[in-house]
Every structure is written in structure tokens, then in C-alpha cells.
Amino acid sequence: MLTGTHFLQGNAACAEGAIAAGCRFFAGYPITPSTEIAERMARRLPEVGGVFIQMEDEIGAIAAVIGASWAGVKAMTATSGPGFSLMQENIGLAAMTETPCVIVDVMRAGPSTGQPTKPSQQDVMQAKWGSHGDYEVIALSPASAQEMFDFTIECFNLAEEYRVPTILLADGFIAHAWERVVIPPPEEIKVVERKGPEAPPGDRLDLVPPMACFGRGYRVHVTGLTHDERGYPQADSVEVQRRLVKRLCDKIRANADRIVKTKAFALDDAEVVVIAYGAPSRPALKAVKMARENGLKAGLLRLITLWPFPEKDVIRLSSHVKAFIVLEMNYGQLVREVERAAKGTAVTLLSKLGEELHTPYEILRALKEVC
Amino acid sequence: MVEKLTFTHPLSKYLRVDRLPHIWCEGCGNGIVLNCFIRALDELGANLDELVVVSGIGCIGRIAGYVNVDSFHTTHGRAIAIATGIKLANPRLKVVVISGDGDLFAIGGNHFIHAARRNVNLTVICVNNFNYGMTGGQLGPTTPLDSITTTSPYGNVESPFNLAHLAASSGAVYVARWTAFHIHELTKSIKASLKRRGFTFIEVISPCPELYGRYNKMGRGVDMMNWLKRVSEVRHGCDPAKAEVSSSKIVVGEFVSVDKPTYDQLIYQLMERVKGGSSVEGGG
């Protein structure tokens, strides 16, 4: 296991985080700007007794990941916009079958082929709503190579804890940034292991939510059809559909307080709050510091969890702040969630399209305008 | 005194009997394939706790819900890709894919050819009924030319795949074709395929009297079964390219049987070679 301090690319840090979390299966398909994750996993996984496979497309990649997870192995794939679109149907299957797995989406500029080498944050809504039907996922947003390592581990832990597909929603800036990454020794890394059923095979009511993987004698049936607690299809039952969909959503919604993480800077007396996630949260911090030096009561709410959306933080702040400024490298996506939670408090979007990242000066200018 | 007698079918331990009766129509070949499959398991004395059945979407896709083993009823077309993940993550498991012609060769065609090319250690059984049954009898990738379906109401103008030929040329190590009429031969082929290592493929031509048969005036289930009996010709070792499937002739038999290293063998050998090493120690 790699430990110590290293100069790593964000994507390499992500791969090392996966290995530290116990990931021993990776299926992927080459796509910029996420390919380095697959390349590093191809090199590293066999060294630690894991399997790497380059599939024929991204649909196959997420499918193989779901299969590997049911065979009892922690599994991951990594992709970017077009590949993420192709994966959506099976992300829904993973949600429906409560399959723990991690999907890394290194966001590039779209729509369609867009700008393959240019960073963006244009898949934020797709990460939540990309597959059909009602379901919940968890998505985290890293803002440094160190967090590519740390949050990948966190994604695996959340996936196992809640039996849910978990998405590391990185952007091309962070994934391609080379930075200092500290990898602690394995005993200092918190790793959540899968909870299996405690009842012996045959006591079938206990199968869900503990996960009975294949080959353990439970004779489990897994289906994307609406199914009862035994796993049997009940495609015509209104009651089973209601119970299942509610539970798939509520296991995340009811635990949102435990899942959601944000970082606060200078929020206590802030009158104007910048909300940022991923790469833009770095110039945002600089801008808020500059604003404070200029006597402006500015603060920063950095979103680490994007899904479930940290609405309680926004609701709490909206009771006393004058305005929110939302930074996004898209034409306005998560800003809608902020507006929903802000309940009438003014919300301004600072949007960036293309390769450009917000500069601290333009954020400061926006702060001055509303302060 | 009248004694109450209860009977248990000798093969019922292979089925989730609480899921029966199955959803398949009268005259459909799916039940025959299920029967042959569990007979093969019984005759082999297969370890049911190390067997996984994976299916896709469609009528035969429901088979995963009836077999009493670990089973995965997947998304449309993705059975082989999911089975690939299962097999590679736990090579101890015997993984069997049972699905239909539309699922495996239209929407899932890409996964089929690549799993065969890699020689992923899977048994793949395709129940070919010449149409999409679950959705009401539409044109599929094996629908014969000129056939009537609900989406080829004036006759099919597309050339069908020869599945055995496609499997063989993609790299399958074992290729056989039977019909729902050939229950003993099919059971034998399933046994042979379960015993082998590598990507093995069995095509089963199966009657769909409710839809394909009805639109093409082929009669009821028993008439279609008689048709399969009449037009089938056993030719073991036949060049799959010449193994015809048409309304007047269906060439059946074991066409391909070769040996080559499987994907999981190669990947685990590679792992043994590099295990414990570190290509990144001390640097990025």
C-alpha cells in the first residue's frame, strides 16, 4: 500500500484512494479527462490482487462494476460526461438493487462531445436526476488532489454504509492538478466494510438491507423490477412499489444530516455568503479573505456533499444573510437548489463556461456590488 | 381412511417453487429450456451455491427468477457485461447467462462479441424465438427475411444474424445449436458447456406460437414443434457459416469445440506475476 507524502495528479490520487478504501475491481473505458484513473488502476490493481478490465463501452463498464459488487468485491468506474450519460440506466439499476459502487465523473464541458479537455461542472443535475424514476444517490465534490484521495475513500464508505451508488463529481481542473498528497498508513484510514446478513441462509427475511453476495449460499435473487423484501418481482403491486421507492429514497433523505458535509469560512457574522464547490471554491476562499481585508462582511459556504443537497445549511443562513453568490462552472444548475432553500433571500449566479475559472477579483467585485 | 399423498417433483429443488406458475405462454419453448437446464444441473450434480444465473430483459429474462440459485435479472442487453464482472470478481463461481435473441444480439450485441473475443469464462444460452415476445412480437436481429412482425407488417427486409457463426467468429470455444424439440441433445450440450472453461455458446431455436407463429401462420405450439422436428438436420462439426436457419431448414449440432486460455485464467496469472510489487513506491 502506498503511504507517505507524494506529488500526485488528482486522478492518480483518486486511484490511490480507491485502493486504500479496499477497491479491488475497476472496469472502465478511456475518456478524457478521467483516463489517468483507469491507467493507474490498470497498473496498480494487479499489484494488490485486484482486477482491472477495460470494457467495450461505458455501459459495459458500469454493468461489470455492478456484477463485481454482487460477487462481493468493492468496485469502481471512472468516466466523463459522454460516458456518464451512457452509464445512467445502470446507475438506476444500482440504486434499485442497492448495489454499493463508486462512479467517478470528471466533468468536462458539454453538451455532447463538447470540449473534451476543458473542465466544467455541467453534470451536477445529471448526477442526481440522470436515470429514470425516483431514487437517491450520494455525490461528493473534491477541490484538491488531496480531496481526490480522501473523498474517494469517503465515497466507498458511504456506498457500503447506505448500499447506494456514490458519485465522486470531480472537475477537469482538480482531476488534472498536480499537488502534494499525504497518504496516511492504512491503520489510520477509516474504511467501512460491507454488512452481510447475520441470519443463516434460509432465513430469508433478513436479506435486505444487509447484502448477501453471490456464492455465499443465500440463493439471492436480484432484479431491476419492483421487488419485495425477499427480492422477488412484484411488478403489479402498488403497495410494494410505494414501499420500495420510499425506502430507496428515505434511506438517504432521513440520513442527510449524517451524510452532508460542508465547510464554513467566516460565516458567523457574514452578510453576504459565497456558495461554491469543486475548483471554484479555491478562488472563492481567496476572494472572501480579500473582502474581509476590505471590511466587507463576506463568508464562504463550501459544499462538499452535493447530493443530498445541503439545504439545511442554506436555510439556516438565509434567515440572517442579505444575499448569496453562487459560483458554478456551468450556466446555472445547483443555483436552483440554493434558490429553493434560500426562500426569498437574494441569490446571484456567477457562471463560467469554457476553460475559465472565476478569479478572486471578479468574485470580490460581485461581493462589493451586493454588500 | 383416505391417506393424503403429496408429491414433490424430483427437480423442484432447482426451482423457486414459490414463484410458480411461470409467466410464459402455452406452447412457448422457454419452459423446455428451463427444464433442460435444471436436468443438466441435476445430472452433473452441480453445486448450486456456486452457480449464478444472469438474464437480461424479455420473456426468457424471467428465468433468473425461477432458478433456485444466486441470480441476477439485469437491465436490457447487459447480462453478459454484468456476468463478466461477477466472474472476474469471483472466478470460483460458475456464471451462466440465459437470455433472448433481442437482448443478447441487438441491444446487447457489443457485449456478446467482446466477451467472446476475450474468452470470458461464461456459459451463454440464447433462446432464439425470432422476435421480441415480451413487447408483443416485434422484428428482431434474428427475424428471418420476409417474416411478418408487428414492426415489419409488410415483411422483414433485414438480413438476420446467424448467431452460431457470429459466436464462432467472435472467439467462442464451444458453439452448438439445437431447437426446443431436441431436449436430450440440448441437455447434453448444456452439460458439456458447463463442464468446459471459456466462452461457450448454445443457441436454442424456440417456438413462439402466440406472436411470431401467429403472425406467420405457423399454427399452434404443437404445429411449431412439428415444424422444428421436420426441418432440423443434425450436422455435428458443420462450418457455422454454413449452418443455415430458415423456414425450410435448421442445421443443428455441435459446431465448434476448441481449447484456449480463458480471460480469468490470464488475468489471475498476470496478477500472480506482479502481486506484491509496487510500480509507484517512492513516487507518483
Side-chain angles (χ1 to χ4, degrees), chain B residues 187-214:
Chain B
T187 306
K188 216 173 126 195
S189 267
I190 294 173
K191 278 160 65 182
S193 129
L194 288 171
K195 280 196 286 192
R196 288 188 74 102
R197 296 177 61 90
F199 189 90
T200 60
F201 177 66
I202 302 168
E203 176 184 6
V204 189
I205 308 283
S206 176
C208 176
E210 272 301 313
L211 295 159
Y212 184 77
R214 179 153 56 95

Side-chain angles (χ1 to χ4, degrees), chain B residues 22 24-25 28-37 60 63 206:
Chain B
H22 58 63
W24 298 320
C25 308
C28 170
N30 288 350
I32 295 171
V33 176
L34 174 59
N35 196 334
C36 292
F37 178 63
I60 188 64
I63 198 168
S206 176

Side-chain angles (χ1 to χ4, degrees), chain B residues 65-125:
Chain B
Y66 300 134
V67 287
N68 187 21
V69 297
D70 286 326
S71 53
F72 203 148
H73 177 218
T74 68
T75 36
H76 197 18
R78 315 306 163 202
I80 286 179
I82 287 177
T84 298
I86 296 168
K87 181 67 191 175
L88 294 181
N90 185 353
R92 201 167 42 82
L93 299 173
K94 188 85 206 167
V95 185
V96 181
V97 173
I98 307 177
S99 213
D101 46 287
D103 184 79
L104 287 171
F105 291 97
I107 189 167
N110 205 26
H111 307 306
F112 181 91
I113 57 173
H114 288 280
R117 172 180 67 81
R118 295 184 185 108
N119 197 22
V120 181
N121 203 341
L122 303 173
T123 291
V124 178
I125 300 170

Side-chain angles (χ1 to χ4, degrees), chain A residues 226-261:
Chain A
T226 292
H227 48 272
D228 60 21
E229 286 74 5
R230 173 67 187 88
Y232 284 171
Q234 299 287 350
D236 297 326
S237 166
V238 173
E239 170 54 24
V240 173
Q241 165 74 1
R242 193 190 59 79
R243 211 162 66 215
L244 176 65
V245 171
K246 267 174 70 72
R247 194 176 58 72
L248 292 179
C249 293
D250 289 349
K251 70 177 179 182
I252 303 302
R253 292 181 190 178
N255 284 303
D257 287 347
R258 293 180 57 212
I259 297 167
V260 165
K261 282 189 184 150

